[in-house]
Amino acid sequence: MRFSYAESMTDPSFYAPLAQAAETAGFDTMVVPESICYPRESDSVYPYNPDGSREFLEDKPFLDPFALSSALGMVTSSLRFVTFVLKLPVRHPLLVAKQATSVSVLTGGRFALGVGTSPWEEDYLVTGTPSARKGTRMDECMQIIRGVSSGDWFSFAGEMYDVPELKICPGAPVPLLVGGHADVALRRAVTLGDGWMHGGGDPADLPRLLDRLSALRREAGRADDDGFEIHVISMDAYTVDGVRRLEDLGVTDVIVGFRWPYDVGPDTEPLSAKTDALQRYADDVIAKVKPL
């Protein structure tokens, strides 16, 4: 089992010391969130917040995940960084491939691209991206990113994108992890991705999602030992016995955080409280699951 630390919407100056503290404490990964903007008017519902509200996002600091991952990679040596998740269909895949491979090179391969379709209709509106057939757009984006990231000559002719033969340098393989709970997202993770990222929500849904993911993997002929990653948010991740249960279900990575992220208003928790929480979890769980 690997352990991912989640912290978001906090003082940007906290990120570097938190990444260092997480690495020292024995965490494997730090997930890096993303939000593009906060529209004054919106009818969109956030699917992973219990009441679907979006007000918690207002005036919260969100740094660009590529810039943040690069910066944190410079002050750590083993911690991995995973976008959680990048709203892929509102971006051109060639530019995303260039950004992702650059971060991978700068961090020594310690970067994975968690991607999803945005739950906010406004993200498509403000970027001038049609939201119709966003699933097709998403699929083509993933194929282009994987092809271009190899560093070899690559071309693509699809319904949404037409990429002439080209290459980028340096190329760097970047794992693609798919977020989302809809069946189409699970299938996309299996057929086009290297793993799946759970977004939280109702805990009662997790066993069904894991069962469905297993069925789709069998259907696709994927071997159990093919390196497919399953990143999960669960209260079970906060106890040793719970981590063992998740491991038995095939979960490879647990994502843990130590404050409720959906409160409206600024994060007032001091840095010392955050690092203390990291160390307590490391002592109570990580050290007992994977002792040195």
Side-chain angles (χ1 to χ4, degrees):
M1 181 66 75
R2 293 180 299 233
F3 296 87
S4 297
Y5 173 50
E7 181 61 274
S8 62
M9 299 175 281
T10 193
D11 184 334
S13 70
F14 287 2
Y15 281 115
L18 285 174
Q20 293 171 321
E23 182 173 74
T24 300
F27 281 83
D28 303 279
T29 302
M30 189 167 181
V31 294
V32 182
E34 189 226 17
S35 181
I36 297 173
C37 62
Y38 185 80
R40 182 181 292 273
E41 297 181 2
S42 172
D43 295 325
S44 297
V45 174
Y46 186 65
Y48 307 117
N49 188 13
D51 63 5
S53 64
R54 69 186 186 104
E55 284 72 21
F56 70 92
L57 284 168
E58 186 174 7
D59 296 328
K60 295 289 180 65
F62 268 95
L63 302 181
D64 174 79
F66 296 111
L68 181 57
S69 296
S70 295
L72 298 183
M74 296 297 103
V75 298
T76 56
S77 59
S78 63
L79 198 67
R80 187 190 195 203
F81 303 96
V82 179
T83 56
F84 186 50
V85 293
L86 187 81
K87 299 170 181 66
L88 183 57
V90 300
R91 293 171 164 84
H92 195 285
L94 183 58
L95 297 178
V96 173
K98 185 63 176 180
Q99 291 172 299
T101 54
S102 295
V103 177
S104 182
V105 169
L106 290 172
T107 60
R110 293 181 286 127
F111 182 70
L113 197 58
V115 295
T117 58
S118 175
W120 310 106
E121 184 69 21
E122 291 76 19
D123 283 337
Y124 295 90
L125 179 64
V126 299
T127 58
T129 309
S131 62
R133 304 194 65 202
K134 59 187 175 184
T136 300
R137 189 178 297 276
M138 173 85 164
D139 292 346
E140 293 190 8
C141 283
M142 292 182 66
Q143 293 173 71
I144 292 168
I145 291 169
R146 190 178 298 281
V148 171
S149 298
S150 70
D152 295 329
W153 292 105
F154 175 79
S155 63
F156 184 86
E159 298 179 46
M160 303 294 176
Y161 297 101
D162 191 355
V163 178
E165 191 169 23
L166 51 77
K167 66 169 68 174
I168 61 174
C169 185
V174 178
L176 294 172
L177 313 176
V178 177
H181 293 184
D183 199 70
V184 66
L186 302 181
R187 188 178 295 276
R188 180 177 292 121
V190 169
T191 58
L192 294 177
D194 301 294
W196 174 68
M197 302 193 80
H198 175 232
D202 188 345
D205 290 339
L206 181 57
R208 174 186 60 80
L209 292 168
L210 292 174
D211 285 346
R212 180 58 177 156
L213 197 62
S214 294
L216 289 169
R217 291 177 68 192
R218 289 193 300 271
E219 181 183 306
R222 298 196 66 150
D224 291 339
D225 59 353
D226 66 353
F228 190 83
E229 301 181 26
I230 300 176
H231 298 241
V232 161
I233 297 171
S234 170
M235 289 305 296
D236 269 348
Y238 294 86
T239 66
V240 173
D241 288 343
V243 169
R244 296 298 189 203
R245 285 193 293 271
L246 292 171
E247 202 166 33
D248 289 342
L249 292 172
V251 174
T252 62
D253 298 73
V254 291
I255 302 169
V256 297
F258 307 106
R259 69 179 178 88
W260 182 246
Y262 299 121
D263 287 333
V264 175
D267 174 21
T268 59
E269 184 179 53
L271 177 60
S272 59
K274 296 181 185 298
T275 55
D276 287 348
L278 274 171
Q279 192 58 55
R280 280 196 303 272
Y281 182 85
D283 294 338
D284 294 342
V285 180
I286 297 178
K288 296 175 182 177
V289 171
K290 53 174 194 177
L292 297 176

